[in-house]
Amino acid sequence: MLPAAGDAAASSVGFCSCFSVENGGSYDDYIDGSGNRGCMHCKRSDPSSSSSCYSCSSLWLDLAPFKDSEKLQRVITASAKGFSIGAGLKGGLALFSILTRLRRRQSSAFSRKIEDFSNKEAITMAIKETIRYGLFLGTFAGPSMLLTGPNTQHTSLAIYILMRAAVLASRCGINSKRFGRICKPLTWKHGDLFLMCLSSSQILSAYLLKQESLPPSYKSFLNKHGGKDAVILQGMKEMASGLPFSNLEAIEKFYKTTGVDIKLDPEMKVPCSIVHGNQGCLTHVVSFFIQAYKRALPVYLPVYLIPALIVHRKGLLERPYTILGKGLLGTARSSLFLSVYCSSAWMWTCFLFRIFEKCNIPMVAMGTPTTVQFPTGLSLAIEKKSRRMEISLYCLARAIESFCACLTDIGYLPQSKNVKRADVVIFSLSTAIIMHCYAQEREVFRSKYLNVLDWVFGVPPPPCETPRCKSS
């Protein structure tokens, strides 16, 4: 090792500042296999050059030779950590879903018997899904998506990972001298809000007109937080499509079960009475917001608390109130975003139909959830800046999938018969880009993602990323 006066001695003989005592440098690491002097971290051999080393930002797994046993240990450790993340997240969500099902058990003996049986099935399925997703993240390679189920398509997940890879690639382009000017428009400050507005246009259109184009789980999510019964959505779809009403009586019966006695006009021009019965538009928005916030809170509690238990597990022992307080504040803020998003969707719907006094497919496709639901995406501004891009990319992936499904149904896109698991192909390409950036362009990652990846793969921070080296 270097002597106590490490920095001065290293400087006198031309050592890179990566190899101060504080950074754990050694003379052996400074000499390559041929006996030539050179920093094995930043690959610099010229002592007169700057002490800062850009190459240290790349993955430095080759700093010291690893024995075969050490390599195997790193692989096993990384797989175990990946499994714990996948199983923890999926298992936590599955547990919450099971607890919700148990609360809905009916009182009759027959219904309870059926419910008990379905609960047993749900528990079995939850265990299988937890193990599958744990194995998926434990291996984390392109074909590993098949571990979640050979016949289970994950198009939404694959497209989302592709969007994440595209973001990283665009950041590489922005930092590149060759492509910097071309990629400069991607640095737009409010690009996340624009993507959310664009995604809302397709998602909310599909919610009203073509729910089968949405992934089943996401469709269930929208139906829950959309807060409207299926008969109401069917009535709006028929009205927008210019079809004769087939379920006005069912809508009236539904409102009667809620204590509202209403008689719907088959010749109505706007669907406000279908959407909110005898309530005024403004009153409906306020009451809907309150209910939407109550529905949103249970969604975001596990989103914030589970990662806190995994990522900040040590900090919870030292400063539990600070970490839990931030988690609860984040839960409240994200719940506010979701409730405002859903409320504004219905608010803009009533607003547009009242102005034009009609409801048809062009109004829905170009109005209700495009021109009108386009500004609905602005509610994302409520969220923390660091989360906005994540949410917008998540919604964009589902919007792209829905849009392609709609184009396929009307014949504009041919169905692929050769590639049965296109999601695996897309996921493989995306993970290749992500891992390349992780190995060679680490600066394009956000610090929190980089910290998680480093923790999973067991990679300590490079010497040039230590505070001592940064200050020097």
Side-chain angles (χ1 to χ4, degrees), residues 125-137:
M125 181 61 67
I127 295 175
K128 289 181 179 180
E129 290 295 310
T130 299
I131 295 175
R132 285 175 176 175
Y133 277 83
L135 292 174
F136 164 55
L137 283 185

Side-chain angles (χ1 to χ4, degrees), residues 131-174:
I131 295 175
R132 285 175 176 175
Y133 277 83
L135 292 174
F136 164 55
L137 283 185
T139 54
F140 195 71
S144 64
M145 181 173 281
L146 294 171
L147 293 174
T148 61
N151 299 320
T152 305
Q153 293 279 346
H154 293 283
T155 308
S156 298
L157 176 60
I159 295 176
Y160 171 72
I161 299 298
L162 179 62
M163 295 297 102
R164 294 297 319 165
V167 170
L168 295 176
S170 65
R171 290 174 184 167
C172 293
I174 293 170

Side-chain angles (χ1 to χ4, degrees), residues 18-334:
C18 295
F19 284 85
S20 62
V21 174
E22 291 82 356
N23 289 337
S26 68
Y27 181 78
D28 293 335
D29 286 337
Y30 196 75
I31 304 299
D32 63 16
S34 303
N36 299 320
R37 290 196 306 173
C39 177
M40 296 302 291
H41 289 248
C42 60
K43 313 299 183 186
R44 182 172 67 82
S45 59
D46 182 10
S48 63
S49 62
S50 172
S51 63
S52 63
C53 47
Y54 172 77
S55 299
C56 278
S57 63
S58 63
L59 191 61
W60 57 297
L61 294 177
D62 57 344
L63 299 184
F66 289 101
K67 298 179 181 179
D68 291 340
S69 59
E70 293 175 335
K71 293 179 181 179
L72 180 61
Q73 183 180 1
R74 287 169 63 89
V75 170
I76 294 175
T77 302
S79 299
K81 290 178 179 179
F83 181 89
S84 65
I85 293 175
L89 292 175
K90 190 66 178 179
L93 295 175
L95 178 61
F96 178 79
S97 177
I98 292 173
L99 293 176
T100 303
R101 288 173 61 88
L102 292 174
R103 290 182 56 187
R104 294 177 180 175
R105 294 203 308 181
Q106 300 180 4
S107 57
S108 67
F110 179 74
S111 298
R112 186 177 302 162
K113 183 178 180 180
I114 297 177
E115 189 71 17
D116 287 340
F117 178 74
S118 62
N119 285 334
K120 291 179 181 178
E121 284 187 330
I123 293 173
T124 303
M125 181 61 67
I127 295 175
K128 289 181 179 180
E129 290 295 310
T130 299
I131 295 175
R132 285 175 176 175
Y133 277 83
L135 292 174
F136 164 55
L137 283 185
T139 54
F140 195 71
S144 64
M145 181 173 281
L146 294 171
L147 293 174
T148 61
N151 299 320
T152 305
Q153 293 279 346
H154 293 283
T155 308
S156 298
L157 176 60
I159 295 176
Y160 171 72
I161 299 298
L162 179 62
M163 295 297 102
R164 294 297 319 165
V167 170
L168 295 176
S170 65
R171 290 174 184 167
C172 293
I174 293 170
N175 296 335
S176 171
K177 294 181 179 180
R178 180 180 300 178
F179 302 104
R181 293 184 178 180
I182 300 175
C183 298
K184 189 174 181 180
L186 299 175
T187 61
W188 185 29
K189 182 179 179 181
H190 301 296
D192 46 9
L193 295 180
F194 175 77
L195 288 179
M196 187 63 181
C197 292
L198 196 63
S199 304
S200 300
S201 302
Q202 173 61 32
I203 291 174
L204 297 177
S205 295
Y207 170 65
L208 288 181
L209 297 177
K210 200 172 182 62
Q211 288 202 11
E212 58 271 19
S213 68
L214 297 167
S217 59
Y218 195 59
K219 179 173 67 175
S220 176
F221 175 84
L222 290 177
N223 284 328
K224 176 181 179 180
H225 294 277
K228 299 300 176 184
D229 192 85
V231 295
I232 295 177
L233 298 179
Q234 180 63 25
M236 291 193 64
K237 181 178 179 179
E238 291 175 349
M239 186 174 185
S241 303
L243 300 174
F245 288 110
S246 63
N247 66 338
L248 286 184
E249 293 183 0
I251 297 175
E252 292 172 355
K253 289 181 180 179
F254 167 77
Y255 277 114
K256 195 169 185 178
T257 59
T258 62
V260 177
D261 191 7
I262 186 175
K263 186 67 177 177
L264 298 175
D265 182 10
E267 302 298 328
M268 69 180 77
K269 299 296 182 182
V270 294
C272 289
S273 56
I274 295 179
V275 175
H276 46 77
N278 290 332
Q279 276 187 316
C281 294
L282 182 60
T283 305
H284 166 255
V285 170
V286 174
S287 61
F288 183 92
F289 168 78
I290 296 174
Q291 296 299 322
Y293 194 83
K294 294 179 181 178
R295 288 191 294 265
L297 281 173
V299 173
Y300 285 103
L301 272 174
V303 170
Y304 281 90
L305 295 183
I306 292 178
L309 295 175
I310 296 176
V311 179
H312 302 291
R313 58 197 182 283
K314 294 182 179 179
L316 280 174
L317 299 177
E318 300 174 357
R319 42 194 178 91
Y321 296 108
T322 301
I323 293 177
L324 292 178
K326 288 183 177 179
L328 294 176
L329 180 61
T331 300
R333 187 173 185 174
S334 296

Side-chain angles (χ1 to χ4, degrees), residues 67 88 90 131 171 389 392 410 435 456:
K67 298 179 181 179
K90 190 66 178 179
I131 295 175
R171 290 174 184 167
M389 183 57 72
S392 61
I410 61 180
M435 294 310 296
V456 171

